[in-house]
Amino acid sequence: MTSVLDLAPVVPVVVIDDAADAVPLARALVSGGLPAIEVTLRTPAALDSIRAIAAEVPEAVVGAGTVISPDGVAQAVAAGSRFLVSPGWSDRLLGAMTESGVPFLPGVSTTSEVVELLERGITDMKFFPAEAAGGTAYLKSLGGPLPQARFCPTGGISLASAPSYLALPNVACVGGTWMLPADAVAARDWDRVELLARGAAALRG
């Protein structure tokens, strides 16, 4: 895998409270056409969930999100993460992600952050929080002076707003949660999750 940005038009951003839900949830997303799954390290069940998906859903490309420390990098990779996503970055975090050997998306929200990453040879980035940080207008304005930067905007993006992001040449995919409504996950309605995933996967034919 060269870049998580090229796997699908939408990367589901998943918060899992019960590791028992990880495998059926991942299977539903993959069946719906979304193979890249970002499991956020926000819950005690996250690492066990990544382990389960990596072991039992080989067709999924499972990664870790909300990676904010070198320890988090090490734990995520040891659990089987095939990519890493951070909401922002520091020198220490960037160093750890680079040394992990796993593809990663460091988070940015300012032009200076983008320029500094480009100076380091990093062109694939997460734009976060997308809507709060300026949305499509901001990303479009970055495309002129910094065309080599490619983004996965995440944060506040919906099924309705995703197409406007995906229409931008510097946006390769978007991150979102709308295919995982809380009531469907709570009810373990994986058929509904798969249906919503299909809609997301069809956003870019």
Side-chain angles (χ1 to χ4, degrees):
M1 185 176 70
T2 55
S3 174
V4 64
L5 295 185
D6 299 319
L7 292 174
V10 179
V11 177
V13 180
V14 184
V15 179
I16 300 178
D17 292 307
D18 184 347
D21 292 338
V23 167
L25 185 153
R27 286 178 175 152
L29 292 172
V30 170
S31 294
L34 301 179
I37 301 171
E38 176 188 335
V39 177
T40 63
L41 302 183
R42 301 182 195 173
T43 69
L47 290 172
D48 284 340
S49 297
I50 291 170
R51 287 189 192 94
I53 295 169
E56 299 183 46
V57 194
E59 60 272 34
V61 180
V62 64
T66 321
V67 178
I68 58 173
S69 70
D71 284 346
V73 170
Q75 292 169 355
V77 173
S81 295
R82 295 173 60 186
F83 65 92
L84 306 168
V85 184
S86 66
W89 61 273
S90 66
D91 287 337
R92 288 183 67 243
L93 179 57
L94 198 65
M97 291 194 293
T98 302
E99 291 169 8
S100 74
V102 174
F104 60 91
L105 296 176
V108 298
S109 61
T110 69
T111 306
S112 295
E113 290 170 322
V114 175
V115 170
E116 190 164 355
L117 288 178
L118 290 174
E119 285 182 349
R120 298 167 186 240
I122 297 168
T123 57
D124 292 355
M125 311 172 195
K126 171 179 178 174
F127 180 62
F128 176 83
E131 287 287 281
T136 55
Y138 193 94
L139 286 169
K140 185 176 181 180
S141 70
L142 291 180
L146 303 170
Q148 63 272 56
R150 298 197 313 156
F151 300 98
C152 176
T154 305
I157 297 175
S158 65
L159 177 61
S161 63
S164 61
Y165 281 94
L166 292 168
L168 298 174
N170 58 349
V171 171
C173 63
V174 300
T177 61
W178 72 85
M179 72 297 301
L180 296 160
D183 59 339
V185 174
R188 295 179 168 83
D189 187 350
W190 309 127
D191 288 341
R192 183 179 170 200
V193 170
E194 179 179 343
L195 181 64
L196 292 169
R198 286 188 187 282
L203 286 175
R204 178 180 284 161

